[in-house]
Structures are given as structure tokens and as C-alpha cells.
């Protein structure tokens, strides 16, 4: 499979790589893990690559999307970029060029730092930001001590913040 060949090449380039063979599996991974770059085929089974691209750009603005597809016409490339893709590579392609593009996107992704982190029903507002170290899990939040940020104590939703 092409996905496996691309994954192996990128691993040789020192990237950590996960592979999802359909859009639904891709959506599940995006909802659980944070990625710097997603190499995305527009013609995925299940949820389409177009739908997944929209989902990634709305929920994970730090994640860069590279569309990798056989849809090579100018209007298709423009449409892919309009969906939120950061780059667009058509098949056939050179693996060395794909790796260079992924490296370039990863450099841009690393500079983005959110104030509040949210993933899989957990929201973390690190110390020194708006709420000064609050981790919120559905349904009850936890307070993290700035002196020991690895320790969070559960709080009842109605409890006032402790100092």
C-alpha cells in the first residue's frame, strides 16, 4: 500500500508516524493524539479526506495538513487548499520531495503554542495563563499546583478554586 511506503520513508527521515487507512480511523486518531503534520489522501474510504481536512483545521489549528492525491487539476488543487490544507502534492510524486515538504510544515507547526490545551474531553490551562493551572475533565475540574504541575487534585464543579 502507498500509505505504508510513505510511512516507512518518513520513519527513515526520523518522523514518528501513525497510519490510518480510512477517514473514520483518521478522525479517531486526531481526536485522541496531537500531530504536527497530517499527510492526507482526499479519496479515503469512510469519512472523505475533504471532510477530515475540515475537521482537522477546525479542531487542531496547530496541525498542518498536506493533501496527497491523484486529483491534479488546478481547480482540484485550489479546492483542496480552500478546505484548509497547507500544502498539496499530486501523484505520482518523489518521496524525497514529500519528505522535504513534511519537514517544512513541521517547522511551521512547532512555532504554534496554544494558551489552553484541549483533547479528548480534557482541557488544560497551564500555570501562568488565564486560570493559572486548571485541568478540566468532563464533568469535574481539577486544580494543578504551580509548584508541582504534575500533581492535579480533583475538585467538585461547585467548589471555589483553592490556592
Amino acid at each position: 500500500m502507498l500509505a505504508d511506503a510513505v510511512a516507512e520513508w518518513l520513519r527513515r527521515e526520523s518522523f514518528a508516524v501513525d497510519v490510518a487507512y480510512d477517514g473514520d480511523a483518521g478522525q479517531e486518531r486526531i481526536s485522541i493524539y496531537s500531530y504536527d503534520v497530517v499527510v492526507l489522501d482526499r479519496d479515503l474510504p469512510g469519512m472523505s479526506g475533504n471532510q477530515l481536512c475540515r475537521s482537522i483545521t477546525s479542531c487542531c489549528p496547530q496541525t498542518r495538513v498536506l493533501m496527497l492525491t491523484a486529483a491534479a487539476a488546478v481547480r482540484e488543487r485550489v479546492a483542496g487548499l480552500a478546505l484548509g490544507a497547507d500544502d498539496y502534492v499530486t501523484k505520482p510524486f518523489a518521496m524525497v520531495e514529500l519528505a522535504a515538504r513534511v519537514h517544512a510544515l513541521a517547522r511551521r507547526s512547532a512555532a504554534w503554542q496554544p494558551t489552553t490545551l484541549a483533547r479528548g474531553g480534557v482541557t488544560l490551562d497551564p500555570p501562568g495563563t488565564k486560570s493559572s493551572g486548571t485541568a478540566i475533565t468532563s464533568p469535574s475540574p481539577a486544580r494543578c499546583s504551580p509548584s508541582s504541575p504534575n500533581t492535579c487534585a480533583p475538585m467538585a464543579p461547585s467548589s471555589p478554586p483553592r490556592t
Side-chain angles (χ1 to χ4, degrees):
M1 287 191 99
L2 180 60
D4 294 323
V6 168
E8 182 59 33
W9 186 277
L10 292 175
R11 286 183 184 113
R12 284 190 213 141
E13 292 285 321
S14 300
F15 285 104
V17 178
D18 291 334
V19 178
Y21 296 99
D22 62 66
D24 298 321
Q27 178 64 44
E28 181 178 352
R29 286 181 184 268
I30 287 294
S31 71
I32 297 170
Y33 305 108
S34 293
Y35 294 97
D36 293 329
V37 179
V38 172
V39 177
L40 179 63
D41 194 319
R42 288 183 85 171
D43 298 319
L44 291 172
M47 175 187 279
S48 76
N50 290 348
Q51 291 172 306
L52 186 53
C53 182
R54 278 190 218 102
S55 177
I56 293 168
T57 57
S58 69
C59 79
C60 311
Q62 77 283 4
T63 301
R64 304 295 179 220
V65 177
L66 185 149
M67 287 270 194
L68 177 63
T69 180
V74 172
R75 67 175 167 51
E76 292 167 323
R77 293 191 312 253
V78 169
L81 294 168
L83 289 168
D86 298 283
D87 200 357
Y88 197 101
V89 176
T90 59
K91 301 173 191 174
F93 59 92
M95 288 284 196
V96 68
E97 179 185 4
L98 178 67
R101 289 173 180 264
V102 171
H103 275 289
L105 290 172
R107 280 192 305 269
R108 289 183 37 225
S109 179
W112 189 87
Q113 292 295 321
T115 302
T116 302
L117 307 171
R119 180 71 74 215
V122 176
T123 302
L124 175 64
D125 187 6
T129 60
K130 300 182 280 193
S131 302
S132 238
T134 302
I136 301 169
T137 58
S138 298
S140 60
R143 168 77 55 202
C144 299
S145 165
S147 60
S148 57
N150 294 327
T151 306
C152 297
M155 295 185 331
S158 59
S159 299
R162 297 182 199 168
T163 56

